[in-house]
């Protein structure tokens, strides 16, 4: 379970000194109203709706906006494990029942359920009261992972009196953006319990712990002309600390043992202090290197969100909230004949080929199990196949907004802009799973609520990225549309999107759950 959400006081305390001065003024803080959520299931809490400017740190958002909650989610979710745990907490607060993949399920129409896998993949669903076996599943799928640095299995190293932490690159990150950042570690550990059992725990070291310094221009005079091209094996190694001078024989012996350690004893001590356990009780660690700067609002009108991991936690959170809010009341499901579902997968950034990735049959196995439970395991031949053919998948992953300084990188007639709505992605070579039919159906959802959309096609002389959409579409033959919120600086340690587009995406996804069945009935293709 994730730690409690960060309060304003906690966030303010981690920011530069001008804001710390504001923090000390209780009179000032008392004037900042909390942003209350508009539905009753979730616990009350303060929101980290921070502006990067120190002049207005407590600005609240318009009614109905989820941006403040998204900032909370981003600041909590330093890793895919934390993102899944926080989604789990919010689903439980909203009244969803936690299922176990290792046990038999007992489901009923009108019920709301979810399960996790590896604490980095999550599937949640709400069953329409009028659902019958063979009816479709309306799914929004996203991913919880982002490009980052991960500690190697043997991370301890030292050079020139520095303690270094060996890392491996995960995904296609813009690695030069990780230099000169205040970094730390977060992830999960396995801890030995007092009774001999082993416990899964999440850990996050919030203070700056690591740094990857760039080489001074005096020692690299041509860097601005030739470009910064670091060697990812030898130059991308974070500093942890300086070696202490050890003179006694006992200290030298301890230093010798440290040099043979898998991870630096100093790092292990930091982890054990955070977890309130003995170093010897930590039997396994799986840690990401993370930027410590909080997610916040920015721009002249506070119209932007500045954050790491927008790709793809922004999509994940919009999907999560859309599902929760679309069935806030049990009456919301009273006339629904479908199953509303979200699927949040890990390992998309490296191809999805894992047990917790979209390449695994997790989502389709869940569909089969749901249908079997509701039919009391008396499923007619072909019922599951019919259900999948009647289903629809929204593959939600961030999109490339047009960059004002590099407009030529976009196809002339497909340049998505910020604050202009969701981007529907097309690719004739099936790097995206959108078809003419699925794009039409999805745009019809938006038209009902006057929600804008845009379209993206990559230039013919450039390669095209991909998403989990084609993987899931081809895996079982489910109709799929690929879409996303436009952003800049994708795969940087610090990304940017427009807060208005976040709210549009949330409203679009919620409308999808509420209206897709009626729209789908009007179209016949085969």
């Amino acid at each position: 379970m994730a730690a409690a959400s960060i309060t304003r006081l906690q966030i303010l305390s981690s920011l530069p000194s001008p804001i710390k001065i504001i923090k000390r003024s209780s009179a000032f803080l008392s004037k900042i109203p909390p942003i209350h959520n508009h539905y009753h299931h979730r616990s009350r809490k303060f929101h980290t709706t921070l502006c990067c400017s120190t002049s207005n740190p407590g600005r609240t958002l318009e009614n109905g906006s989820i941006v403040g909650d998204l900032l909370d989610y981003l600041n909590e979710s330093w890793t895919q494990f934390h993102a899944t745990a926080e989604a789990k907490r919010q689903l439980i607060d909203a009244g969803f029942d936690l299922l176990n993949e290792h046990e038999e399920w007992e489901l009923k129409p009108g019920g709301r359920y979810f399960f996790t896998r590896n604490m980095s993949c999550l599937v949640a669903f709400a069953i329409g009261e009028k659902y019958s076996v063979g009816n479709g599943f309306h799914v929004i799928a996203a991913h919880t992972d982002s490009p980052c640095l991960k500690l190697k299995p043997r991370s301890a190293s030292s050079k020139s009196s520095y303690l270094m932490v060996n890392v491996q690159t995960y995904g296609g990150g813009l690695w030069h953006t990780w230099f000169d950042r205040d970094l730390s570690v977060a992830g999960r550990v396995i801890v030995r319990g007092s009774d001999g059992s082993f416990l899964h725990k999440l850990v996050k070291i919030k203070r700056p712990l690591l740094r990857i310094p760039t080489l001074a221009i005096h020692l690299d005079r041509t860097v601005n002309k030739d470009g910064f091209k670091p060697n990812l094996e030898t130059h991308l190694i974070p500093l942890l600390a300086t070696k202490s001078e050890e003179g006694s024989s006992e200290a030298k012996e301890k230093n010798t043992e440290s040099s043979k350690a898998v991870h630096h004893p100093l790092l292990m001590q930091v982890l054990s202090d955070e977890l309130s356990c003995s170093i010897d009780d930590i039997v396994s660690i799986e840690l990401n290197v993370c930027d410590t700067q909080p997610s916040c609002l920015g721009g002249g009108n506070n119209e932007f969100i500045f954050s790491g991991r927008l790709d793809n936690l922004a999509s994940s959170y919009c999907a999560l909230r859309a599902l929760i809010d679309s069935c806030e009341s049990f009456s919301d499901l009273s006339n629904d004949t479908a199953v509303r579902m979200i699927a949040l997968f890990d390992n998309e950034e490296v191809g999805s080929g894992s047990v917790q990735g979209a390449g695994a049959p997790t989502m389709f196995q869940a569909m089969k199990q749901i249908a079997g439970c509701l039919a009391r395991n008396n499923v007619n031949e072909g019922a599951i196949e019919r259900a999948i053919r009647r289903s629809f998948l929204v593959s939600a992953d961030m999109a490339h907004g047009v960059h004002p300084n590099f407009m030529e990188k976009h196809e002339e007639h497909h340049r998505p802009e910020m604050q202009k709505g969701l981007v529907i992605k097309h690719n004739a070579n099936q790097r995206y799973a959108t078809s003419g039919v699925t794009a039409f159906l999805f745009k019809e959802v938006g038209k009902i609520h006057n929600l804008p959309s845009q379209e993206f096609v990559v230039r013919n002389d450039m390669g095209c990225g991909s998403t989990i959409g084609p993987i899931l579409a081809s895996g079982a033959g489910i109709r799929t549309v690929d879409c996303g919120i436009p952003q800049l600086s994708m795969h940087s340690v610090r990304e940017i999107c427009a807060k208005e587009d976040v709210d549009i995406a949330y409203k679009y996804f919620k409308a999808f759950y509420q209206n897709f069945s009626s729209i789908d009935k009007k179209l016949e293709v085969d």
Side-chain angles (χ1 to χ4, degrees):
M1 197 57 85
S5 293
I6 305 171
T7 65
R8 278 203 183 103
L9 288 175
Q10 289 172 316
I11 290 297
L12 291 173
S13 66
S14 68
L15 292 176
S17 56
I19 296 211
K20 288 186 178 179
I21 295 172
I22 295 174
K23 172 200 164 192
R24 297 189 187 104
S25 172
S26 59
F28 177 85
L29 283 176
S30 66
K31 295 177 183 179
I32 302 177
I35 307 172
H36 292 304
N37 204 285
H38 68 277
Y39 61 102
H40 65 274
H41 290 302
R42 298 180 66 208
S43 59
R44 299 294 187 183
K45 61 179 181 178
F46 288 107
H47 293 262
T48 58
T49 314
L50 294 178
C51 306
C52 288
S53 167
T54 61
S55 62
N56 191 17
R59 182 176 182 272
T60 58
L61 297 174
E62 298 82 4
N63 290 334
S65 174
I66 68 163
V67 171
D69 293 327
L70 171 62
L71 292 176
D72 277 345
Y73 184 71
L74 291 167
N75 283 318
E76 183 61 40
S77 304
W78 281 17
T79 71
Q80 69 275 33
F81 306 119
H82 290 83
T84 303
E86 177 60 14
K88 174 181 177 179
R89 185 194 68 77
Q90 293 194 24
L91 287 164
I92 290 174
D93 284 354
F96 281 66
D97 294 324
L98 176 61
L99 302 172
N100 190 325
E101 278 196 287
H102 305 295
E103 299 173 355
E104 292 288 335
W105 294 355
E106 292 185 7
L107 310 177
K108 61 182 181 180
R112 298 171 299 167
Y113 310 92
F114 76 100
F115 65 89
T116 65
R117 175 179 290 188
N118 189 51
M119 195 46 71
S120 63
C121 169
L122 180 147
V123 175
F125 54 95
I127 305 169
E129 290 276 8
K130 295 185 178 179
Y131 176 81
S132 60
V133 177
N135 288 358
F137 292 77
H138 299 160
V139 189
I140 302 175
H143 64 90
T144 58
D145 62 317
S146 301
C148 67
L149 304 175
K150 293 179 179 284
L151 268 64
K152 290 182 177 179
R154 302 182 67 88
S155 72
S157 68
S158 60
K159 296 180 182 179
S160 300
S161 298
Y162 291 104
L163 299 183
M164 316 287 287
V165 177
N166 291 325
V167 296
Q168 52 185 329
T169 57
Y170 175 83
L174 289 172
W175 303 121
H176 66 275
T177 66
W178 287 73
F179 283 75
D180 295 334
R181 301 291 299 187
D182 296 343
L183 305 174
S184 191
V185 294
R188 69 170 169 196
V189 298
I190 305 299
V191 177
R192 183 187 293 107
S194 57
D195 59 354
S197 61
F198 298 101
L199 308 174
H200 172 279
K201 291 189 175 184
L202 300 188
V203 64
K204 180 194 301 181
I205 308 302
K206 297 178 183 178
R207 69 179 177 89
L209 190 68
L210 304 172
R211 183 92 171 192
I212 309 173
T214 50
L215 184 63
I217 193 169
H218 313 79
L219 304 177
D220 190 8
R221 290 291 187 180
T222 64
V223 65
N224 289 328
K225 180 180 69 173
D226 298 337
F228 181 46
K229 301 173 183 178
N231 182 292
L232 301 185
E233 178 63 23
T234 59
H235 299 156
L236 198 65
I237 307 176
L239 307 182
L240 172 66
T242 54
K243 286 183 182 179
S244 58
E245 292 294 332
E246 298 170 325
S248 68
S249 58
E250 182 181 351
K252 289 180 179 178
E253 183 179 343
K254 184 180 285 187
N255 186 48
T256 301
E257 292 175 358
S258 298
S259 66
K260 298 177 182 178
V262 172
H263 305 288
H264 285 301
L266 176 58
L267 175 62
M268 299 304 292
Q269 186 63 57
V270 170
L271 296 175
S272 68
D273 290 344
E274 183 70 19
L275 294 165
S276 299
C277 71
S278 166
I279 292 178
D280 294 336
D281 288 333
I282 299 176
V283 297
S284 177
I285 67 173
E286 188 173 351
L287 299 179
N288 296 357
V289 176
C290 307
D291 187 21
T292 59
Q293 185 175 357
S295 305
C296 65
L297 298 183
N301 298 308
N302 288 321
E303 66 266 59
F304 300 129
I305 297 173
F306 297 158
S307 175
R309 307 175 301 283
L310 287 173
D311 176 21
N312 190 33
L313 292 185
S315 303
S316 297
Y317 188 70
C318 288
L320 173 69
R321 277 294 297 273
L323 177 64
I324 290 174
D325 291 0
S326 73
C327 54
E328 174 187 357
S329 168
F330 288 105
S331 63
D332 291 335
L333 299 170
S334 59
N335 293 312
D336 202 342
T337 60
V339 175
R340 304 174 184 182
M341 177 180 283
I342 61 169
L344 308 181
F345 295 103
D346 193 4
N347 298 134
E348 187 275 344
E349 297 293 354
V350 291
S352 299
S354 68
V355 69
Q356 58 271 1
T362 311
M363 187 179 80
F364 302 109
Q365 288 175 348
M367 291 176 171
K368 184 176 181 179
Q369 194 162 353
I370 292 167
C373 288
L374 295 174
R376 300 293 186 267
N377 292 313
N378 185 26
V379 180
N380 295 328
E381 184 177 355
I384 298 300
E385 289 76 12
R386 289 196 304 276
I388 291 175
R389 285 194 289 271
R390 291 170 178 165
S391 298
F392 195 92
L393 172 71
V394 177
S395 170
D397 205 346
M398 301 296 280
H400 296 291
V402 63
H403 195 305
N405 299 333
F406 300 92
M407 292 181 64
E408 70 281 1
K409 295 294 185 180
H410 272 70
E411 198 278 334
E412 181 181 2
H413 303 292
H414 298 85
R415 291 174 172 169
E417 298 179 20
M418 287 192 184
Q419 305 192 86
K420 296 292 181 67
L422 268 179
V423 178
I424 297 175
K425 307 176 186 179
H426 301 261
N427 184 261
N429 297 303
Q430 295 301 299
R431 298 295 288 169
Y432 302 128
T434 306
S435 69
V437 171
T438 61
F440 164 75
L441 289 170
F442 194 59
K443 284 188 282 188
E444 285 296 301
V445 171
K447 285 182 181 179
I448 292 177
H449 296 274
N450 295 316
L451 297 170
S453 64
Q454 309 175 75
E455 291 177 299
F456 171 76
V457 175
V458 74
R459 289 172 56 107
N460 289 329
D461 56 0
M462 294 179 63
C464 183
S466 191
T467 69
I468 59 177
I471 296 172
L472 296 171
S474 61
I478 185 172
R479 295 175 296 169
T480 301
V481 64
D482 266 297
C483 69
I485 298 168
Q487 73 163 102
L488 299 177
S489 303
M490 186 179 288
H491 286 197
S492 171
V493 73
R494 197 77 177 166
E495 301 172 322
I496 174 176
C497 72
K499 69 179 187 183
E500 184 174 341
D501 291 326
V502 168
D503 285 326
I504 290 172
Y506 158 70
K507 293 173 183 176
Y508 216 123
F509 294 166
K510 187 176 177 182
F512 166 71
Y513 287 131
Q514 294 171 331
N515 302 118
F516 184 78
S517 292
S518 60
I519 295 170
D520 196 28
K521 290 177 182 177
K522 298 177 182 179
L523 176 67
E524 289 189 15
V525 176
D526 298 310

